Structure formats: structure tokens, C-alpha cells
Amino acid sequence: MLVLGLTGSIGMGKSTTAAMFREAGIPVYDADAAVADLYVQGGAAVGPLEAAFPGVTKDGAVDREALRTRVLGDDAAMAKLNSIVHPLVGADRGHFFRAAEAAGADMVVLDIPLLYETGGDANMDAVVVASAPADQQRERVLARPGMTPERLDAILSRQTPDAEKRARAHFVVDTGRGLEPARAQVAEIIATMRDPQKRPTRQQAPLEGQAKRGD
């Protein structure tokens, strides 16, 4: 079973791209959704996070805004957060793999926002990056409730730059061109991965002219 890593900086259309893979019949694992499940009342991360960061839970669930405020800009706190959450997400992802294999899937997509930042790209058969022009990115993100330019800049400072992601990716989906062009790029990626003659290897450089049609 082939494993595609899907990533992209905030506001680049990664969730929209993930939905297009689902529409095409490819199972998608949403790391953000998995984390959200860990944070709800009774979630496996609630107790450990309250112990590590007293005051970040409310009514038996993790207060995501309080947690974000506690760790943002603090490398040690972020490392501690990751050491708690990542193993729990890994266990949940294992269940996803087993279910996909049982269903006979030939390919899955792992939607992971910080794929490059955590080194997870090394475990993928290929990496897809969702991208868009920087002005569109800022417009999308600043339209979100509670978002400010300062907060956006702080988030971006902790993410691998979009240009580097595009350079390292095997495939780029340009979401700035509209839904149908992006959907066509997703279909081409699936076809390329299913063709042993065209499929990139894990260590292979990105395929110019085919794999990076989003450029």
C-alpha cells in the first residue's frame, strides 16, 4: 500500500486538497482531526496535557486556545507538547492503516500539517504540497475569526517556508487556480502513483514536468 504525505502551510488549501483525494476514493488520515479527538472530554491527551501545562483544560477538555497561548514561541514547551501528543496520534494512525489494508486500499494519504517540520516526509512514498500565491494565503487566513497579522506571522515563523516545501515535494497542487484545476492535478497525482513506470521512489528527486505540474 502506497503512502502519500499531504502537507502545506496555513491557508494553502491543504484541507480542500485532502477532500479531493477522498472524493477520488483514496482513504485520508487527518492528523488535525485525530488531535481534536484527543483533546475532547475523555480524550487520551487531556490528563497528560493538564499535568504538563496546568490550566490548559476546561470542563474536562483541552482548551486549545489556552494551550496554543502557552506553547507558542516556547520551543521547550512545544517539544513537551509534541512528546505527549505524537505517540497518541501514532497509535491512532496505526488503526487507520489496518482499516485501509482490510478494505483493500492500494494507496492512502496522510494529511499532516507539520510533515517536513517533524521529519515525517522520510516515511512517505511521495509528498504532495498544497500551495497558493502568498497574497491569497494571507487573505484566506486573515479572514478567519480571531486571526491577526501578528499571529499569522508567528505561525508562519514555525513552519517550513512554502518555497522550500514546493522544492522538496514530489507533487505540488496549486490551489490558487481554482477547484477544477486543483482536482485535475489530484487526479494526475493518483494516476502517476499507480503507474510503476512514473511513480517516484522515496529518495528520488521530484519529477520535473510531471510530478510538479502545480508549479
Side-chain angles (χ1 to χ4, degrees), residues 90-106:
D92 184 69
R93 189 164 57 239
H95 294 307
F96 166 81
F97 278 124
R98 288 190 288 275
E101 289 175 347
D106 66 339

Side-chain angles (χ1 to χ4, degrees), residues 11 14 19 95 111 184 196 200:
K14 179 176 59 60
H95 294 307
D111 177 352

Side-chain angles (χ1 to χ4, degrees), residues 27-97:
V28 176
Y29 181 79
D30 186 336
D32 276 350
V35 172
D37 289 342
L38 294 172
Y39 286 1
V40 299
Q41 188 173 27
V46 177
L49 288 176
E50 176 61 26
F53 308 105
V56 299
T57 63
K58 182 179 180 181
D59 299 327
V62 174
D63 183 331
R64 299 192 70 152
E65 187 58 35
L67 179 61
R68 185 180 295 111
T69 300
R70 174 66 181 81
V71 303
L72 193 61
D74 185 334
D75 291 341
M78 184 65 72
K80 182 182 291 186
L81 170 64
N82 289 338
S83 73
I84 294 169
V85 174
H86 284 179
L88 296 173
V89 173
D92 184 69
R93 189 164 57 239
H95 294 307
F96 166 81
F97 278 124

